[in-house]
Amino acid sequence: LVSDGRPIAVDALVELDEVLGYHLEQACEYLRELGEPTGDLGARAAARLATAGRRALLVRDAAAAANLLGRTVSLAEPSGRDGVELLLDLGSALVDHGEFRDGEARREQAVALAQSLSDRTLELRARCELAILRTVAAPEFTGEQALELARGAIEELGPDGDDQTLASAWYLVLAAENLRSQWQESIVAVEHVLEHAPNPGDRWRSDALEYFAPAIFWGPTPLPEGLPRVEALLESARGD
């Protein structure tokens, strides 16, 4: 990103939106305390804070993302497709910050909102992201259960379905196969995640990349075959 020919750092953009969002947020609160109408201040504040929060999430500043996106949700009740996206982003920020219980609650809220919109694709994505969390936070949730949900979503979406949802579904396959110590299947799942999340910053891409080398190491892939695959993947991920 550039301005007047000079590069602008992502953290500077986060700070700009955060500052503007903060002042709009405070103005909204003052008007509420005075019993005055707030007009569109709440929506404008929420939009700025959401933008800042998503940028923070992109660079894995979990504390900032959870704070900013949490304040966004407090300003305006999530609604519509954008509301589901916001709840999923907030859930991810909370999970990255180690707040699994709150992250799970936000993902459950996203599932319910997507259902109320009759948006099946978005509902499947929210269900997969909720299940991804449960593979690490709910001991009673088995790899077989996760795999059944993921495979069902992939079959329902078809190969030309929504890429974000397919990336989430294939990442759930990866999480399930990792639980089951099925390394060859894990490698296949990583490759599918990368197919549907090809760009740096795409949700699940960087997480999936972290699984690839261990799956090659622990699985049946011979070293002469596995090492070039790892090197090629690292080269393709350069700049992520």
Side-chain angles (χ1 to χ4, degrees), residues 79-86 117 119 121-122 125 162 164:
S79 62
R81 183 180 179 87
D82 288 345
V84 179
E85 298 274 2
L86 176 61
L117 298 170
D119 190 325
T121 298
L122 202 51
R125 180 178 156 203
D162 176 71
Q164 284 184 306

Side-chain angles (χ1 to χ4, degrees), residues 68-195:
L68 291 162
L69 295 173
R71 285 158 60 196
T72 301
V73 169
S74 296
L75 278 165
E77 182 70 20
S79 62
R81 183 180 179 87
D82 288 345
V84 179
E85 298 274 2
L86 176 61
L87 288 166
L88 290 176
D89 286 339
L90 176 55
S92 295
L94 290 165
V95 170
D96 288 349
H97 198 234
E99 300 177 53
F100 286 6
R101 189 181 300 276
D102 289 341
E104 182 178 29
R106 290 305 186 182
R107 287 180 178 177
E108 288 174 342
Q109 192 178 352
V111 171
L113 180 55
Q115 283 181 313
S116 74
L117 298 170
S118 299
D119 190 325
R120 180 60 176 166
T121 298
L122 202 51
E123 179 190 342
L124 287 173
R125 180 178 156 203
R127 286 190 179 280
C128 286
E129 296 199 13
L130 177 59
I132 288 166
L133 173 57
R134 287 179 172 164
T135 61
V136 296
E140 70 281 1
F141 189 67
T142 66
E144 287 71 20
Q145 288 173 307
L147 196 57
E148 181 181 0
L149 193 161
R151 294 292 187 190
I154 291 165
E155 181 178 354
E156 185 172 340
L157 290 161
D160 299 321
D162 176 71
D163 278 324
Q164 284 184 306
T165 305
L166 282 167
S168 296
W170 277 109
Y171 190 90
L172 180 56
V173 172
L174 172 57
E177 298 294 18
N178 183 65
L179 276 180
R180 300 168 71 239
S181 300
Q182 298 298 311
W183 308 119
Q184 193 61 41
E185 288 79 1
S186 295
I187 293 167
V188 172
V190 169
E191 291 170 339
H192 279 292
V193 173
L194 300 183
E195 175 189 352

Side-chain angles (χ1 to χ4, degrees), residues 1-24:
L1 296 171
V2 297
S3 175
D4 298 328
R6 293 171 296 179
I8 302 174
V10 171
D11 56 355
L13 292 173
V14 171
E15 184 176 347
L16 175 63
D17 281 311
E18 182 177 357
V19 169
L20 291 172
Y22 168 79
H23 287 293
L24 290 167

Side-chain angles (χ1 to χ4, degrees), residues 23-42:
H23 287 293
L24 290 167
E25 179 185 33
Q26 290 301 300
C28 186
E29 290 299 322
Y30 292 147
L31 287 172
R32 284 175 178 168
E33 290 174 8
L34 292 170
E36 298 291 336
T38 60
D40 66 347
L41 280 177

